[in-house]
Every structure is written in C-alpha cells, then in structure tokens.
C-alpha cells in the first residue's frame, strides 16, 4: 500500500536529469480492509479530481469501487497519484446519502418521485416556455465534470434542439480565461505545450498557479526535476509564500509578490525588460507574429520601478525574473487562477503568450505554455460547445462555421444561435434573476457555493421567477434550492472520454452500476431530447445516438478539419496503454505532443475561432477588421495598459481579499468532503493573514474572526501565515454542507459571500480575487484557554 | 480660426456630455456589473480626452456660439431608463453621442493637418481611436443585450 499522502503530499522524490524520462512510481490505495489480491477487476480510467487527469485503474470488488491505482504506462502521471486522486476518487460512490431517486418540489419541499413524474414536469415547463417565449427562455449551466460525450449531446440538445445561446459551464469560473487567451493570441483554443516540457525546460514560470496544491502530481514532476541534475530555475508569481515560492527561492529563481489585482502591471514590466535587453528572437517575431510595435508602445511606461510602485514587488526582483526568462533556452510557463480569477485576467494571460512569442519559445521541447484548467474535462466543455463556445472550436461569428455544424446535425443554420455572442454564466444568472430565463438546468455543479456573491445566487435559485432543474450525485447546496432534482451517475458508473490540460484524451470505462435509479448524464439528456420530440430537417430524432461510443463517433466527425481533430481516435485506440493528445488524424495517427512547432497559427480569418477583442473593453472585432490585419497564420502580440482593480481598499474595508484552492479539496467538496481522509485533513474553512495585520487587530493564530466585504461576511478561524501584507486569503471550497456536523462555522464560512459580481471583459470569467475586506476578532481560540 | 475653435469647443463639450452620460448610465444600471464598470471606465477616457485637449483650448480658444445655427443638439442622457429594453435604448443613445464625438475628432484632425499642428493632430487621432473603441464596445454590448431584450423581456 502506498505511504500516507496526506502528510507527504507529493510522495517520495524520483529525481532525474534534464532531458531524461520521468521515472515511474505506481501509487495505490484501496479501501480499508481490502487487500490487493482481493480486487476482482481493474478498470481503465483517469482521475477527475483536478485538471491534471492522471491515468488510473479503478479497483472493483463485489460490484463496488474499492480503490485506485496509478497507471504506470500513462504519459500524464507515470503511475503517480496525489491525495485527492488516491483518497477521493471512490468513497463518495458508496456514500449513504447518494441521490437514488428523482425529487420534485411539493408545497415547498423536495419529495421523492419516479423518473416519469420528474421528467414530465421538466418537459411540461420546457414546452410551455418554448411556446410562450421561445428558446431564449431556457438556460443550461453545466459543469467541468461531465464526459466529452455528455457535453456534446448537451451542446446538440441546447443549440440545435432548444436553440438557446444561454449555455455555459462552471468552466467559466475556472478555465474561460485560458481559452480566451489562446483565442486572442493564437486564433483558436488549444494548449500549445505538453507536460513533457517539464523534462526539457531550464526555467519554469508559474503565474498565479499554486501547482503544489492544485495539481500535486504535476508538482511532483517538477520537484523531480528541481531535485535532480541540471534543475530548472523556478519563478513564482503569487501574493502568498507558497511551496512554489519556496522552491523558487531554493532553485535560485525568484518569488514575485504582486499586490492582489496588479498582475498586468507586473507582466508589462517583465515584457518591457525583455524588450529593453533585446532578449528578442527577431526572426521569429518578424516571421510569425503581428502587433510588435503596438506592444512595445503599450509596455513602455512600465519600468521595474513603476512595477514596484504599482505591485509592491521590488524592482530588482522584476529585473531578475526577466533576466531568467531572457537568458534561458527553454522556458515553460504555467498559468492558473491567480491570473484567471483576478483583475485584467485575459490581458495578463495573453501577456504570458507575448513573452513566449517574443522569445520564439513555443512548440519545441521545454519551450511551452500551459494555460491550466481548474477542472478535469473542462477542456471538453470548451471543445464540444456546451459552454459559450461553438462546437469544434468554431467561430459563432463565421457563417460558414455555423453552416458546417448545421450540416453535421442536419438542422437549419438559423436554429443554431449565433447572432449574438454566446451568453456567459454570470449573464445567464442575471437573466434567471430577472425571470427572462424561466428554466435553468444545472448539471453536476454547485453554483450556490462556487459563484461570486453567493447570497445573490441563492436568492436567484430559490426564487419563484425561474424553474430550476439540478442533476447531480448528491443533494448539494444548489440542489436543495431546485424544483426538480435528478439523480446522476458519476465517474466509474458510466463510460466516456475526457481530455486534460495538455490535450491528452483518456477513455474512462464503466466499472460499476450507479445506485438506485441514478442515470448517466448522457441518458438524461437523451431522454429529455426524446421526450421533447426534437427532430432534424428530415423529421428524424435530433439525437440519434444511444451509447457513449456512438456519440464519440459522431463527435469525431464534428471535429474533422478543425484544429481540434479527433478523427483518428476511437474507443479501441484509447483502450491502449496511455492517453493520446489531439489532434489525431491521418497525418498524426498517434497524436500531437506540441502545437505550433512550425510557427504557423490558426489565425486565418476563415479558420480562427474568434475575430478577437479589445483586451481593455472586451469589444468584439468584426470580420472586416480581422481581415484587414491579415494575420495569415501569424500569432497576435497584444498588450493592454494596467488599470486598478474594481474594488480598492477603503477606510471601512482596508484589506484585499483573495480566495483559492487548497490541496485536499475539489470543487465545493461534493466528492472530496465525503472521503474521510481528506475531510479529516481539512475539515474546515479559515482565513490567512500576515503577522502584522493580525497583530494590528489583536488576532492570534486560531482565533475566530469576522471577515466582511461590502457584500457579506464569514466567521472562521484565522491562520497567521506568509501572505502579503494587506492581503487576506480564504479557501473557496466550503459551503454549509458539513459531513461530520461538527464544524461550528458551517453556516458562516462560504468564501464567496464576500466576492464581487464582476468579470473579465474578454473571458467573462468572474473575479474571485479582488475584493476589499475588513477582519475583526470575534473570540479567542477556545483551544488556548 | 473661428471655425476650428468652434470644433475644439464642440469636442470639449461633447466629450463632457458623453462622460456625464456614461456615468448616468453606469449608475442607472449599477446592478448590471459590466455596464456599470465599463461605462465608468469609458467616462474616464472622455475626461482624459478633455484634459489632453485643454492645451489646444488655450491656444485656439473655444467658441460656443456658432455662426451656423445649431440644429442637432446633443443634450446627453440625464435619466437612465429601466429594465433590459431600457438598457438597450440607453446604450443606443450613448452610441449616437459617441458618434458625434468621433466625427468631431475626425474634423479636428483635418483642421490640424491643414495647420500642420502636429500636437493637435496627435491628440485628435489618439482621441478618435479611443472613441472608436468606445463605439465598438457599445455595439458589442447592444448585440449582447438585444435578443433577450427584444424577445423575452416583459
Ligand atoms: S494530480 Fe489531479 S488528476 Fe492526478 S491524482 Fe491528484 S487530483 Fe487526480
């Protein structure tokens, strides 16, 4: 059995030198009392509990999932698993509070019913609204956690069946900026780099990415380089002194600590330094980019001293970090929520691309960008268009792209909503608030905890103005507010594919049956489409597929010829030793490890997924404007000036509030909270503040504090730690659900009570990291008395 | 140059009107977060345009009373409207105002060319560029708001 991965999060080191293969180490965990030889079957899958997507096999015994083992042959994890994957993958499945029957609201209470009744209510409401108000009365808010096939069917049902542009996922909260940044720089979504770049780089830059906690196995992969021969230098951009920051200091890199909300000013200064010192690959820039002169002008005012003034980061640190970027041969950059959920998210993330383009550092081993996702399978939401994108990385503003889809689905192109930008999540909730969306269907996600200004979200979901359908594994904080609750099957209880951050597609096979009457999300969407009688132009059922594999085959066709080409993939091929990175087509039968090796980008006006946006206002460029630029396969260098965050500290709220993920949780703890080891390791919320801020408030470590913003408050324990002065950090996973019933703050600990309803102008990703707050002591730590 | 000063005055006043109107709409639709924040930011751009222009105002003066009778009055938006359709109409009114500002800069740029006043030319081109970005945003936002406002809103 694997050693304890709660205390030893990243496990034993297996150091190795630059350019050599990451050694294999197989991690295994079985439920208490189950011995390895008792496992009846191992079923191929991949882990869903963070965007790393580690290859795993699921252990099955007596019709139950009883543990997991890392897949030694998998390109993503080489056998390793982290605490969430090991301890959190399977226990939820046999949790006694699984939803096993549909629920409907009667006299204000949710009561058990059968599928016919539940689906009947949905269909009646849906039909009435379609007749009275048309498709714009429907909204779908999906997850980062369905399988590719389920998203694809949802996209078809929503876009070609109902015909609504109001479709988005909670991927909007986690990965929308990654997608937006790719589109702005390279023309379409799609990760250029690969995890393998870790083995080849001589510097790693982590921008707002606490990889040590968010993707533990990937971090182990980095540690195995930094502890081996020719280690890369690590540069960390984070207002907290995280494990990543410590590693930066240890490796002779730099820890840059920008004030919350000032990332773009720092990025502009780094860019300016690279230009000033002429660490620029002129030939590459000349041949493969456009926008150089504008970028130079935009970043000109951002001297290291100016960055110090705005960000509070010492000017010399900025110089050192820029020098590392400028003088390394192969830099790997990774970006996550510290950028995506903060002020000027897309502009700051695009700035990372700019640095790589200026240095010609894309598409070769070690020189890569990983714009991370916060969720597994979030990538598939973007690919299939169950969120605000158009299926297969198509451009909603390009009539030819819409026609291709209409042909694929055999519907009138006018059915597919494309006459306005697709509606993003925050807007969907505003329409639901106003009641102009009268039916909101939420699958496998928990917006009552995960969205900003959560009191407002609860009001919207609990109100009478909108009929709310929730399909999930448990009665989450969101499901409690629904009008109809549908019990869904989870991971291991259904078959389907998903794709991790570095485009690696895995097949996850069904290991066991779902409990009670729970059904797969795929079956639920198909049942709805059938019951609604959605048909194609020939009067045939719109959704013709019944099995995941049939859906997958249809999906492959929808990607043909697009930058995201799955045509060379099949279930059979995916049953091999490891996942396969797309595109997989005739030219690349074994997949593609890195995109853009040739410096040619999908920016042609006919090909691109977007005509681009003004990074400051979010204004969409038109086709004519795009054509006039003649991008013709060149990448865009795009800059923007820094502006202060939306809410600056004030007398009443003098601190900067920021939120984030920590190691033992995943998405509102629906699964991880039901894994005893993970819950024991981190049962409760807290806030972190620095020693001087704590002292000024008479707060000692462990004391209970009230944290207030203009929108709400929480009451949790304080932890004194290495966060920047003036900043307060809270983990954003905790809702009022408390598995042990022992946490005194369960009703008062939801981090998003305090965050703002505001989003990035381009990616529309809500800002969870810039709010003003005050902290006051409520009572002394009772354990100290 | 009485007519250039007329246009300098027009730019100054219409930017002021536009700034005030952006702020009116921001406050009037404060619950629409992106409209609130973006309109306030764009009002700031108008303020900046006026301060850039102030030097030209000193040099050329600003003419309020024009020989030409004023036919099109850009009075600005004193009151926001309500609801989704109200927001759409307000954005449209802002667009009309911003168009007036934008063409005013076009005209001033022409005058500056004729006078070889490079400073004024640069100001006019810069401000025109930003006004065009304001117009693009207004168009984008109207496209976003239109379907729901036209078809579903009460
Ligand atoms: S790193 Fe992520 S994908 Fe891998 S085991 Fe841990 S939670 Fe699962």
């Amino acid at each position: 059995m694997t050693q304890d991965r709660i205390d030893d999060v990243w496990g034993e080191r297996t150091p190795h030198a630059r350019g050599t293969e990451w050694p294999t180490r197989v991690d295994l965990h079985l439920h208490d009392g189950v011995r390895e030889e008792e496992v009846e079957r191992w079923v191929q899958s991949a882990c869903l509990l963070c965007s790393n997507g580690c290859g795993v096999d699921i252990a099955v015994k007596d019709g139950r999932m009883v543990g997991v083992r890392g897949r030694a042959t998998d390109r993503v994890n080489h056998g390793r698993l982290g605490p969430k994957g090991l301890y959190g993958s399977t226990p939820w499945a046999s949790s006694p509070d699984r939803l096993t029957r549909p629920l409907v609201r009667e006299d204000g209470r949710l009561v058990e019913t059968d599928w016919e009744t539940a689906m009947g209510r949905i269909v009646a409401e849906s039909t009435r609204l379609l007749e009275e108000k048309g498709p714009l009365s429907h909204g779908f808010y999906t997850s980062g956690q369905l399988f590719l096939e389920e998203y694809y069917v949802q996209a078809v049902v929503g876009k070609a069946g109902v015909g609504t542009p109001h479709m988005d996922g909670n991927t909007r909260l986690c990965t929308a900026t990654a997608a937006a940044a790719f589109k702005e720089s390279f023309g379409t979504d799609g990760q250029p780099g690969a995890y393998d770049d870790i083995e080849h780089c001589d510097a790693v830059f982590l921008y707002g990415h606490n990889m040590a906690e968010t993707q533990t196995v990937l971090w182990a992969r980095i540690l195995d380089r930094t502890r081996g021969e020719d280690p890369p230098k690590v540069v960390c951009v984070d207002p907290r002194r995280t494990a990543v920051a410590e590693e930066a200091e240890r490796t002779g890199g730099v820890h840059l600590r920008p004030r919350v909300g000032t990332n773009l000013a720092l990025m502009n200064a780094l860019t300016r330094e690279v230009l000033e010192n002429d660490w620029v690959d002129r030939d590459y820039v000349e041949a493969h980019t456009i926008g150089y002169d504008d970028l130079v002008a935009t970043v000109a005012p951002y001297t290291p001293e100016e960055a110090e003034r705005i960000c509070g980061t010492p000017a010399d640190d900025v110089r050192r970090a820029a020098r590392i970027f400028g003088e390394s041969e192969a830099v790997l950059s990774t970006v996550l929520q510290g950028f995506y959920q903060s002020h000027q998210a897309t502009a700051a993330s695009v700035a990372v691309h700019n640095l790589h383009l200026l240095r010609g550092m894309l598409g070769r081993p070690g020189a890569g960008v990983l714009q991370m996702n916060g969720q597994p399978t979030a990538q598939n939401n973007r690919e299939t268009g169950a969120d605000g994108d158009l299926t297969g990385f198509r451009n909603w503003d390009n009539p030819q792209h819409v026609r291709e889809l209409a042909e694929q689905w055999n519907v009138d192109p006018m059915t597919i909503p494309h006459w306005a930008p697709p509606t993003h999540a925050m807007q969907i909730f505003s329409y639901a608030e106003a009641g102009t969306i009268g039916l909101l269907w939420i699958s496998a996600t928990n917006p009552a905890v995960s969205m900003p200004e959560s009191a407002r979200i609860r009001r919207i979901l609990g109100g009478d103005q909108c009929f709310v359908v929730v399909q999930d594994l448990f009665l989450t904080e969101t499901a409690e507010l629904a009008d109809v609750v549908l019990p869904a099957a989870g991971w291991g209880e259904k078959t389907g594919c998903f794709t991790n951050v570095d485009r690696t597609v895995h097949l996850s096979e069904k290991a066991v049956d779902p409990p009670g009457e729970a059904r797969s999300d795929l079956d639920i969407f198909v049942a709805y489409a059938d019951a609604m009688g959605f048909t194609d132009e020939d009067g045939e059922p719109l959704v013709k597929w019944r099995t995941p594999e049939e859906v997958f085959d249809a999906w492959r066709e929808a990607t043909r010829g697009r930058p995201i080409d799955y045509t060379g993939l099949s279930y059979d091929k995916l049953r091999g030793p490891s996942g396969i990175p797309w595109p997989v087509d005739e030219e690349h039968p074994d997949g593609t490890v890195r995109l853009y090796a040739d410096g040619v980008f999908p920016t042609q006006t006919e090909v691109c997924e977007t005509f681009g946006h003004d990074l400051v206002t979010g204004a969409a460029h038109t086709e004519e404007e795009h054509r006039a630029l003649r991008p013709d396969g060149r990448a865009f260098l795009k800059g923007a000036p820094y502006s202060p965050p939306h809410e600056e500290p004030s007398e009443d709220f003098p601190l900067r509030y920021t939120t984030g993920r920590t190691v033992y949780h995943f998405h509102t703890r629906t699964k991880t909270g039901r894994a005893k080891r993970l819950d024991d390791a981190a049962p409760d919320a807290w806030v972190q503040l620095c020693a001087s801020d704590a002292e000024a408030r008479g707060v000692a470590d462990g004391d209970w504090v009230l944290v207030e913003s203009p929108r709400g408050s929480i009451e949790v324990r304080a932890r004194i730690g290495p966060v920047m002065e003036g900043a307060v950090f809270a983990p954003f996973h905790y809702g009022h659900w408390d598995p042990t019933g022992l946490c005194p703050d369960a009703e008062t600990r939801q981090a998003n009570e305090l965050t703002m309803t505001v989003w990035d102008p381009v990616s529309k990703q809500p800002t969870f990291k810039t709010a003003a707050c005050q902290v006051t002591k409520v009572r002394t730590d009772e354990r100290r008395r | 140059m009485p007519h250039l000063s007329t246009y300098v005055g027009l730019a100054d006043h219409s930017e002021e009107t536009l700034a005030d109107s952006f702020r009116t709409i921001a406050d009037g639709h404060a619950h629409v977060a992106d409209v609130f924040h973006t309109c306030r930011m764009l009002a700031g751009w108008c303020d900046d345009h006026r301060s850039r222009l102030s030097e030209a105002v000193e040099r050329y003066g600003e003419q309020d009373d024009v020989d030409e009778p004023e036919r099109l009055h850009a009075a600005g938006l004193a009151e926001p409207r309500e609801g989704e359709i109200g927001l759409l109409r307000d954005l449209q009114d802002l667009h009309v105002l911003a168009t007036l500002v934008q063409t005013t800069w076009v005209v001033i740029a022409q005058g500056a060319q004729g006078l070889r006043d490079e400073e004024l030319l640069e100001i006019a081109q810069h401000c025109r560029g930003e006004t065009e970005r304001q117009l693009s945003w207004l168009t984008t936002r109207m496209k976003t708001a239109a379907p729901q406002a036209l078809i579903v809103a009460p």
Side-chain angles (χ1 to χ4, degrees):
Chain A
M1 194 92 8
T2 303
Q3 74 198 92
D4 189 348
R5 202 48 53 71
I6 293 290
D7 297 326
D8 181 13
V9 170
W10 309 297
E12 209 185 304
R13 295 281 52 75
T14 47
H16 64 114
R18 185 175 178 188
T20 61
E21 175 120 333
W22 188 28
T24 296
R25 177 193 83 202
V26 175
D27 291 339
L28 161 78
H29 175 72
L30 297 174
H31 290 192
D32 283 347
V34 178
R35 280 175 297 125
E36 203 175 338
E37 54 276 18
E38 292 174 343
V39 174
E40 289 156 15
R41 279 187 304 134
W42 291 98
V43 179
Q44 178 170 1
S45 180
C47 177
L48 263 192
L49 294 179
C50 90
S51 62
N52 210 47
C54 298
V56 303
D57 292 321
I58 307 171
V60 179
K61 179 175 181 281
D62 300 331
R64 283 174 56 171
M65 296 192 272
V66 293
V68 287
R69 179 178 69 193
R71 283 176 75 82
T73 53
D74 199 89
R75 62 189 301 271
V76 170
N77 56 326
H78 295 217
R80 285 165 194 70
L81 294 174
K84 281 194 289 255
L86 280 173
Y87 308 126
S89 285
T90 49
W92 57 269
S94 42
S95 176
D97 57 344
R98 276 294 293 276
L99 288 171
T100 53
R101 298 194 65 201
L103 309 173
V104 291
R105 194 165 291 281
E106 295 280 357
D107 304 326
R109 271 178 358 102
L110 284 171
V111 296
E112 283 200 357
T113 187
D114 52 34
W115 272 97
E116 212 185 315
T117 310
M119 191 55 89
R121 286 210 188 172
I122 298 169
V123 168
E125 191 63 20
S126 184
T127 312
R128 182 185 73 77
L129 282 166
L130 285 179
E131 276 165 13
E132 284 173 16
K133 296 187 172 181
L136 298 175
S137 60
H138 282 52
F140 292 90
Y141 184 60
T142 180
S143 164
Q145 292 164 76
L146 300 190
F147 290 167
L148 186 155
E149 294 79 357
E150 298 173 321
Y151 288 129
Y152 182 57
V153 167
Q154 183 164 26
V156 176
V157 168
K159 284 174 164 52
V162 175
T164 179
H166 307 325
M167 299 186 75
D168 204 353
N170 81 324
T171 49
R172 183 68 65 182
L173 319 184
C174 87
T175 180
T177 301
F182 288 143
K183 290 185 225 176
E184 295 300 323
S185 299
F186 310 136
T188 74
D189 195 354
Q191 185 78 262
Y195 291 163
D196 309 36
D197 288 330
I198 292 172
E199 276 83 72
H200 300 281
C201 64
D202 57 352
V204 197
F205 277 61
L206 294 100
Y207 302 92
H209 183 189
N210 187 1
M211 190 194 283
E213 299 211 37
T214 55
Q215 287 141 302
T216 57
V217 169
L218 202 61
W219 182 243
R221 193 161 179 167
I222 288 192
L223 289 179
D224 284 351
R225 278 289 326 275
T226 59
R227 308 294 165 128
E229 275 172 55
D230 341 308
K233 285 198 174 69
V234 175
V235 175
C236 166
V237 180
D238 199 314
R240 297 165 71 212
R241 192 163 185 280
T242 59
V244 176
E246 284 168 23
E247 200 61 12
E249 283 158 15
R250 213 190 59 81
T251 56
V254 191
H255 175 204
L256 299 168
R257 298 200 307 165
R259 242 172 233 132
V260 168
T262 65
N263 295 330
L264 185 59
L266 180 68
M267 293 310 297
N268 284 349
L270 288 174
T271 311
R272 184 181 182 279
E273 276 295 288
V274 166
L275 292 167
E276 284 284 298
N277 290 286
D278 204 20
W279 289 312
V280 176
D281 182 340
R282 302 250 155 227
D283 294 342
Y284 188 92
V285 168
E286 182 67 25
H288 300 297
T289 70
I290 54 175
Y292 179 80
D293 292 341
D294 279 348
L295 181 65
V296 172
T298 305
V299 301
Y302 298 87
T303 59
E305 282 68 27
E306 178 66 358
E308 176 167 338
R309 189 185 68 77
I310 299 172
C311 313
T313 312
D316 279 341
D317 286 356
V318 176
R319 287 198 185 90
R320 271 178 56 214
R323 178 166 293 278
I324 293 173
F325 201 99
E327 293 183 342
S328 298
E329 302 162 14
V331 179
L332 172 63
S333 288
T334 82
V335 193
L336 191 63
Q337 315 299 19
F339 271 36
Y340 301 163
Q341 294 178 342
S342 190
H343 185 54
Q344 299 187 294
T346 306
S349 305
V350 159
V352 175
H353 298 161
N354 292 341
L355 286 173
H356 279 262
L357 290 166
L358 289 172
R359 297 270 297 117
M361 284 214 195
L362 275 177
R364 61 182 160 85
V369 175
L370 296 168
Q371 297 275 359
M372 291 292 171
N373 303 341
Q375 304 245 351
T377 84
Q379 181 70 41
N380 302 110
N381 202 338
R382 275 146 57 180
E383 294 172 356
T384 59
D387 64 354
D389 294 316
L390 198 58
T391 310
F393 292 170
R394 288 179 174 81
N395 182 350
W396 63 270
D397 218 359
N398 181 336
Q400 178 54 31
H401 287 193
V402 178
R403 261 199 303 277
E404 283 168 21
L405 267 190
E407 267 168 41
Q408 170 81 16
W409 296 339
N410 191 21
V411 296
D412 181 340
M414 283 301 282
T415 332
I416 303 172
H418 62 279
W419 12 258
T423 317
H424 60 95
M426 299 296 282
Q427 186 67 58
I428 290 178
F429 276 82
S430 290
Y431 289 150
E433 184 174 33
T436 65
I437 284 182
L439 188 155
L440 180 61
W441 191 321
I442 299 168
S443 38
T445 186
N446 192 4
V449 178
S450 58
M451 288 197 110
E453 214 180 334
S454 28
R456 169 174 177 256
I457 301 298
R458 282 196 302 274
R459 256 195 329 272
I460 295 170
L461 295 173
D464 287 334
Q465 81 296 354
C466 180
F467 184 83
V468 177
V469 179
V470 171
Q471 87 196 37
D472 212 321
L473 306 169
F474 295 96
L475 197 63
T476 61
E477 287 87 342
T478 300
E480 283 173 359
L481 301 168
D483 295 288
V484 175
V485 179
L486 305 175
W491 178 86
E493 297 168 344
K494 57 185 185 178
T495 295
C497 293
F498 46 89
T499 309
N500 77 346
V501 168
D502 81 345
R503 290 171 283 104
T504 301
V505 186
H506 281 113
L507 173 65
S508 176
E509 305 253 24
K510 179 173 167 173
V512 298
D513 285 327
E517 296 173 27
R519 294 183 186 174
S520 75
D521 299 281
L522 176 63
D523 287 348
I524 296 173
F525 293 133
V526 169
Y528 169 71
D530 285 353
M532 292 297 290
F534 293 140
T535 50
D536 66 10
E537 292 254 86
D538 299 326
E540 297 293 319
L542 177 69
V543 177
K544 303 166 179 68
W545 324 293
R546 288 298 173 266
T547 66
E549 189 160 3
E550 285 169 17
V551 180
F552 186 85
D553 292 343
W555 159 248
R556 286 191 315 191
E557 283 311 306
T559 65
R560 189 176 289 281
R562 293 298 300 158
I564 172 189
D565 199 318
Y566 273 69
T567 48
L569 278 176
S570 65
Y571 272 24
D572 274 347
K573 200 158 175 173
L574 288 166
R575 287 194 178 105
S578 174
I580 303 173
W582 64 252
V584 195
D585 51 19
E586 269 173 33
E587 229 179 294
H588 315 90
D590 300 316
T592 311
V593 175
R594 290 176 192 84
L595 302 180
Y596 314 138
D598 52 1
V600 177
F601 299 88
T603 54
Q604 299 86 347
T605 305
E606 297 70 32
V607 176
C608 64
E609 191 179 356
T610 173
F611 298 131
H613 296 82
D614 183 322
L615 293 186
V616 175
T617 64
H621 298 324
T622 61
E623 181 181 338
E624 297 73 46
E625 287 166 335
H626 190 269
R627 208 174 280 287
L629 290 171
R630 299 180 174 280
D632 297 339
R634 289 174 295 171
F636 290 95
L637 291 165
K638 277 192 184 181
Y642 162 77
S643 65
H646 294 109
E647 191 168 272
E648 289 273 54
S650 61
E651 209 172 298
D652 289 344
F653 302 103
L655 300 169
R656 294 170 197 266
Y657 182 70
T658 184
T659 65
R661 198 187 293 278
T662 56
V663 72
Y664 305 113
H665 316 289
F666 184 71
H667 191 60
T668 76
R669 304 172 75 236
T670 308
K671 285 177 177 170
T672 49
R674 287 177 173 85
K676 187 161 184 320
R677 313 256 317 249
L678 296 175
D679 185 54
D680 286 351
D684 209 357
W686 40 273
V687 292
Q688 187 181 51
L689 60 170
C690 77
S692 60
D693 288 330
E695 200 187 296
R697 289 164 176 75
V699 174
D701 199 67
D703 285 351
W704 289 89
V705 292
L706 178 72
V707 190
E708 295 168 284
S709 84
R711 290 156 295 280
S713 65
I714 54 173
E715 212 175 294
V716 292
R717 278 186 200 274
R719 283 188 191 175
I720 304 194
V723 63
M724 203 175 176
E725 193 177 333
V728 176
F729 173 88
F732 55 35
H733 291 280
Y734 296 89
H736 68 230
W737 172 68
D738 175 23
T740 54
L742 293 174
C743 293
D745 61 350
E747 293 295 334
T748 62
R749 64 181 177 185
Q750 199 166 308
N752 284 323
E753 300 285 320
L754 279 70
T755 50
M756 298 178 77
T757 298
V758 58
W759 51 86
D760 179 70
V762 181
S763 69
K764 311 293 192 286
Q765 179 153 348
T767 304
F768 289 98
K769 300 207 187 286
T770 62
C773 75
Q774 176 60 297
V775 175
T776 40
K777 181 169 155 175
V778 179
R779 58 184 187 278
T780 303
D781 182 2
E782 62 281 2
R783 298 167 303 192
R784 264 192 296 125
R785 271 200 238 111
Chain B
M1 283 153 282
H3 298 298
L4 180 59
S5 60
T6 304
Y7 264 86
V8 167
L10 184 58
D12 192 35
H13 290 164
S14 54
E15 287 278 13
E16 185 179 17
T17 311
L18 183 57
D20 291 347
S21 304
F22 268 127
R23 292 199 170 95
T24 305
I25 299 317
D27 293 340
H29 300 276
H31 62 286
V32 186
D34 62 330
V35 170
F36 176 74
H37 291 290
T38 313
C39 284
R40 284 180 16 151
M41 175 178 75
L42 298 183
W45 292 12
C46 298
D47 298 343
D48 174 59
H49 296 173
R50 292 186 66 209
S51 78
R52 284 172 191 256
L53 188 67
S54 60
E55 174 264 355
V57 172
E58 256 165 45
R59 280 196 291 132
Y60 294 104
E62 84 185 280
Q63 193 88 32
D64 267 347
D65 41 272
V66 197
D67 283 347
E68 290 299 315
E70 186 76 75
R71 296 229 161 77
L72 179 64
H73 259 292
L77 281 78
E79 288 283 322
R81 300 177 176 91
E82 275 180 24
E84 289 179 30
I85 198 78
L87 172 61
L88 188 59
R89 291 293 312 279
D90 285 344
L91 293 170
Q92 209 175 359
D93 282 353
L94 284 173
H95 194 276
V96 171
L97 266 180
T99 311
L100 177 67
V101 175
Q102 189 250 11
T103 50
T104 303
W105 287 119
V106 172
V107 170
I108 292 178
Q110 295 300 95
Q113 293 265 23
L115 290 168
R116 301 189 195 138
D117 181 339
E118 280 182 30
E119 253 170 86
L120 182 60
L121 180 61
E122 209 196 288
I123 294 168
Q125 282 174 339
H126 171 86
C127 297
R128 191 190 97 170
E130 290 204 334
T131 311
E132 277 165 6
R133 289 167 68 193
Q134 292 174 326
L135 284 165
S136 299
W137 178 76
L138 287 163
T139 305
T140 301
R141 195 62 185 78
M142 279 189 281
K143 278 185 91 169
T144 308
Q148 203 74 1
L150 295 182
I151 300 168
V152 208

